[in-house]
Amino acid sequence: MRIKFQWKLMASYLTLILLTGVILYGYLSRTLERHLTEEVRENLINEAKLVRLICTKEMTDVRRDAPAIARTAGKEIKARVTIIAADGRVAGDSELNDSELRTLENHATRPEFLQARKEGIGISSRFSSTLGTEMLYVAVPFRTAPMEDGVLRLALPLSRLDSAMGSIGAIIGAALLLAVAFAFLLSYVIAHITSRPLRDMAAAAALIGRGNFGCRIPVVSRDEIGELAAVMNEMTAKIEDQIEKMSAERNRLDTILRGMGEGVIVTDQEGNVTLANPAFRVLFSLGEEIEGKSLVEITRQPAIHNALKKVLDTREEIIEEMAVLVPHEKYMLTHWVPLREEGKLLGAVAVFHDITDLKRLENVRKDFVANVSHELRTPVSVIKGFAETLLFEGRDLTPEKNLQFITIIHNHAERLANLISDLLALSRMESGVMELEPTSVNLAGTVARTFHLLEGKALAKQVSLVASSSLADTPPVLADPSRLEQVLINLLDNAVKYTPAGGSVTVSATQENDHIRIDVADTGVGIPPQDLPRIFERFYRVDTARSRDMGGTGLGLSIVKHIVQAHGGTISVDSTPGKGSTFSFTMKRA
C-alpha cells in the first residue's frame, strides 16, 4: 500500500506534537504535584503557627482547654487539629470526642512530635490507622502562660491533594486533547501546502517520464524544494537535448541504412538478428520482420552460418566471397566485423555486396574476349593461308586459281573489316558517346528505302519483302534517320538470311499511346525457346556454323538493342521454331 507524502508529513507533525504533549504533561504533572505539596505544607505550617498563638495566649490548662480549642481551630482552618501534652498523651483532637481521646495511644514516639520538640517544627507523611488514609502532618511546640509545654499538630488528608491533582490533570489532559485536535487540523493544512510543490513535481516528472519533455516544473520558492524544481527543469532540458540528438543520430543512421544498396545486418552473440536494413531483405527475398530470429533460420545458407560462427569464435574481421541460392544463384561479397564493447563480444556486423552482375560481366568479358579472338582468328587464318599460297606457289597456279584465292582473301578481309566496324560501333554505343540527331521521321518512307537496299538479296533468296498497309497511317516517329535505317537493315537482313525460299518478311506498325511499335516478322526457321533470353548478347548465335556461313558477325542484334534503348525505346522477340520470328521495337511518336 502506497502512503502519500502528505500523510507521512502530517504523521510526523502529529507524532512530534504528541511526544511534546506527553513530555509536557509528565513534566507539568510532577512539577504541579511537587509545587502543590509544598504549598499545602507551607499553608499547614503557617496555620499551625497561628493556632499555636491561640494556644499560647488562651490555654491555661492543657488537658482542660485542649478539646475546645482543637475543635474550634479545626472548624476554621478545615484541617484536623491535635493538641498533644508534653508526655505524648493526646489532650484534644478536632475529629474525636472525649471518650475516643481516652482510647488513643501515646504519641510521644510519632516522628512529627519528636522532630517538633527537637527542631521546632515537625513534618511527616504517613498512613493514619485511625482515619484509614494517607495524611500529611505538621507539628509545632507551644508553651502556655502557666509554662506548660505541648505540641500542636495539624493533619491534612493527602486524598485532597490527589483530588486536586486529578482535577489539574484532567484540565491539562483536556487542554492537550484540544491542542492535538487543533494541531491535527493545522498539520493537515500545513502538510497539504508543504506537499503541493512535491505533488506538482511528481506530476511533472510523470509527464516527463511519458516523453513530454516540454513540461517544466514551476519554481515558486527559493528553498530546497525550489532548488530541486530548478535542478529537475535543468535535467529535463538536458535530457530533451540528448534525446533530440540521439533521435537525429538514429534517424540519420536509419536513413543511411535504408539508402544503402548493400545489405547490412547486426546480430547478437547468439546469432540472432537485432537489426537489418531493407536492402538485406531484398537481397534474400525476405518480406517479414526478421529482428529477433536466428540468421540461420532466416537465410538457411550454410556459407553464411559458417562465416558468422567463424567471426564469433575468432573475434576477427572476415571478408569472404560466397554463392547463395535466394532462390536463384547469387554471388555475395561479405564483410564480417565483430561487435565489441569494452572487450566484451556483443555480436557481429555483416555487410553483403551483391556481385552477381560483376560476376556476370566478368563472364561476359571472358566470353567476349574468347569470341572476338575466335571470330578474328578465322578470317586472319584464311587470309594468311591463301596469301602464303599465293606468295610461295603463285607462279605455279593458273590465273583462275589466283583469282579464286584473291577473291577468298578479299571476302574474308571484308568480313574482318565488318567485324571491326561493328565492334567499334558497339563500343561507342556502350560507352555513351553515340550521338543522335532525332527528328520527325516518316516510317513508311524509311521502310521503303530499306527494302530498296535489300531488294537484291531478297530476290536472290526468293524471299518477298512486304510493307503492311498500317505503315501509311502511322504517325511520324522521333528518331535519328540513319540509326533507324540501321536498325531496320539489321533486322531485315537477319530475317532474309534465315527465311527459306518462298517465304516472306513483313514490316508493320502499331500505335501505343505516345510510342509506335514496329514489328519485323518473318516465316523463317524460328528461334528455340532456350536461346531467346540471350539472342541480343554479343557474338551469340543460335546456329554458329550456319551463321558464319551466312557472313554474320554476331553483333547485329546487340547493336540494334543499343540503338533502340538510346532512343528511349524497348525491343523484344517472339518466335516459334519452324514458323518464324517477330522482332518488335518501339520509338517515341514525333
Side-chain angles (χ1 to χ4, degrees):
M1 179 180 177
R2 187 174 68 89
I3 301 176
K4 293 183 177 180
F5 177 77
Q6 176 183 348
W7 299 111
K8 292 181 180 180
L9 190 62
M10 183 176 172
S12 65
Y13 290 158
L14 289 177
T15 302
L16 180 62
I17 293 171
L18 289 174
L19 183 60
T20 304
V22 170
I23 294 174
L24 185 62
Y25 179 81
Y27 172 75
L28 290 176
S29 297
R30 294 179 64 85
T31 302
L32 288 174
E33 183 179 6
R34 185 171 62 253
H35 179 73
L36 188 59
T37 302
E38 291 178 356
E39 189 70 23
V40 170
R41 187 183 295 117
E42 290 296 328
N43 288 337
L44 282 178
I45 292 173
N46 292 332
E47 290 174 351
K49 290 179 179 180
L50 290 173
V51 177
R52 181 174 62 178
L53 291 175
I54 297 172
C55 292
T56 301
K57 293 179 179 181
E58 297 183 4
M59 190 178 291
T60 56
D61 186 345
V62 174
R63 291 187 179 280
R64 186 189 65 218
D65 299 333
I69 294 174
R71 283 193 291 272
T72 301
K75 187 180 296 185
E76 293 296 332
I77 64 176
K78 301 296 187 295
R80 183 181 180 184
V81 179
T82 304
I83 300 174
I84 305 171
D87 58 358
R89 287 180 296 175
V90 178
D93 191 283
S94 62
E95 303 292 333
L96 302 175
N97 55 32
D98 294 339
S99 59
E100 292 173 333
L101 286 175
R102 289 193 291 272
T103 61
L104 291 177
E105 60 183 8
N106 193 288
H107 283 31
T109 58
R110 300 295 168 90
E112 65 275 7
F113 180 83
L114 295 174
Q115 187 179 8
R117 293 294 299 271
K118 182 179 180 180
E119 300 178 3
I121 186 169
I123 300 173
S124 176
S125 296
R126 68 177 184 277
F127 183 79
S128 173
S129 57
T130 304
L131 299 177
T133 184
E134 190 78 18
M135 301 294 287
L136 173 63
Y137 297 98
V138 174
V140 293
F142 68 91
R143 180 173 288 177
T144 64
M147 304 301 292
E148 185 178 0
D149 294 330
V151 174
L152 173 66
R153 187 183 72 177
L154 299 184
L156 186 68
L158 291 178
S159 58
R160 293 185 183 179
L161 184 62
D162 293 339
S163 177
M165 285 301 303
S167 299
I168 294 173
I171 294 172
I172 296 174
L176 182 61
L177 287 177
L178 289 175
V180 169
F182 178 74
F184 179 84
L185 296 175
L186 187 61
S187 62
Y188 176 80
V189 174
I190 294 174
H192 182 76
I193 295 174
T194 305
S195 62
R196 181 183 298 168
L198 297 178
R199 291 197 302 273
D200 294 340
M201 281 191 283
L207 291 175
I208 293 170
R210 288 193 289 268
N212 185 7
F213 295 102
C215 178
R216 292 294 183 270
I217 302 170
V219 181
V220 296
S221 63
R222 295 184 179 181
D223 55 6
E224 289 82 355
I225 294 179
E227 292 178 358
L228 178 60
V231 170
M232 289 187 65
N233 287 336
E234 184 179 356
M235 179 184 66
T236 302
K238 290 182 179 179
I239 292 175
E240 183 179 13
D241 183 59
Q242 290 295 326
I243 288 181
E244 287 179 355
K245 290 181 180 178
M246 291 174 61
S247 178
E249 190 67 27
R250 182 169 182 175
N251 290 337
R252 189 180 301 112
L253 179 61
D254 186 62
T255 302
I256 292 172
L257 288 176
R258 288 181 177 277
M260 289 180 63
E262 296 80 10
V264 179
I265 60 167
V266 181
T267 71
D268 58 16
Q269 62 271 27
E270 301 298 329
N272 299 317
V273 176
T274 58
L275 176 66
N277 70 337
F280 178 82
R281 293 187 175 91
V282 173
L283 282 178
F284 290 90
S285 303
L286 301 172
E288 58 183 12
E289 290 297 328
I290 61 176
E291 282 77 4
K293 296 183 179 180
S294 171
L295 180 60
V296 179
E297 177 186 355
I298 294 169
T299 60
R300 300 189 182 277
Q301 303 291 334
I304 295 178
H305 173 64
N306 294 334
L308 175 62
K309 186 175 184 301
K310 184 177 180 181
V311 74
L312 292 177
D313 291 341
T314 62
R315 301 190 178 189
E316 294 180 355
E317 185 177 347
I318 298 174
I319 298 177
E320 285 190 0
E321 185 178 313
M322 59 183 67
V324 296
L325 295 173
V326 283
H328 305 293
E329 186 177 43
K330 288 184 180 180
Y331 291 92
M332 301 283 181
L333 179 62
T334 60
H335 189 180
W336 301 80
V337 179
L339 186 60
R340 286 176 290 198
E341 183 177 347
E342 297 180 356
K344 183 180 179 181
L345 181 66
L346 301 180
V349 180
V351 180
F352 293 80
H353 302 267
D354 186 359
I355 58 172
T356 305
D357 291 339
L358 293 177
K359 283 286 186 181
R360 184 180 61 80
L361 291 175
E362 183 179 353
N363 292 333
V364 169
R365 181 184 59 83
K366 292 178 180 178
D367 293 342
F368 176 73
V369 172
N371 289 332
V372 168
S373 300
H374 185 73
E375 294 294 335
L376 292 176
R377 183 176 56 194
T378 301
V380 169
S381 298
V382 171
I383 292 172
K384 181 181 178 182
F386 282 97
E388 288 177 350
T389 302
L390 290 174
L391 180 63
F392 298 109
E393 301 178 7
R395 287 174 294 181
D396 300 330
L397 296 176
T398 64
E400 292 79 6
K401 282 291 181 182
N402 286 333
L403 180 60
Q404 179 183 359
F405 288 171
I406 291 172
T407 303
I408 293 173
I409 292 174
H410 177 269
N411 290 338
H412 281 277
E414 187 177 0
R415 179 184 170 192
L416 185 60
N418 291 336
L419 178 61
I420 293 173
S421 177
D422 287 346
L423 283 174
L424 290 174
L426 188 61
S427 177
R428 285 195 300 270
M429 294 176 187
E430 291 180 344
S431 62
V433 298
M434 179 176 60
E435 295 182 359
L436 297 176
E437 296 180 1
T439 185
S440 178
V441 179
N442 182 276
L443 196 58
T446 304
V447 171
R449 287 194 299 272
T450 307
F451 279 2
H452 180 71
L453 293 174
L454 296 174
E455 186 177 6
K457 190 173 185 176
L459 289 174
K461 286 205 67 179
Q462 299 180 7
V463 174
S464 59
L465 299 177
V466 180
S468 173
S469 59
S470 60
L471 291 173
D473 300 328
T474 302
V477 296
L478 184 64
D480 186 315
S482 61
R483 296 297 181 183
L484 180 58
E485 283 188 15
Q486 188 178 1
V487 169
L488 290 172
I489 288 172
N490 274 300
L491 293 179
L492 290 171
D493 184 58
N494 283 341
V496 171
K497 283 180 184 178
Y498 296 102
T499 299
S504 64
V505 177
T506 304
V507 179
S508 60
T510 306
Q511 185 172 341
E512 295 180 347
N513 297 326
D514 58 344
H515 282 73
I516 304 297
R517 192 189 76 218
I518 300 99
D519 298 322
V520 178
D522 62 58
T523 58
V525 295
I527 303 170
Q530 66 272 15
D531 294 315
L532 288 176
R534 302 188 60 188
I535 197 66
F536 294 103
E537 291 182 10
R538 291 171 295 183
F539 296 114
Y540 186 80
R541 293 185 176 91
V542 176
D543 186 344
T544 305
R546 185 178 179 185
S547 296
R548 286 199 183 94
D549 291 341
M550 293 183 177
T553 62
L555 298 175
L557 290 180
S558 183
I559 292 173
V560 166
K561 181 188 73 172
H562 281 83
I563 293 175
V564 171
Q565 290 177 348
H567 282 79
T570 59
I571 187 167
S572 61
V573 60
D574 183 23
S575 180
T576 302
K579 294 185 178 181
S581 304
T582 301
F583 284 83
S584 304
F585 66 95
T586 61
M587 289 284 172
K588 291 182 180 179
R589 189 175 62 180

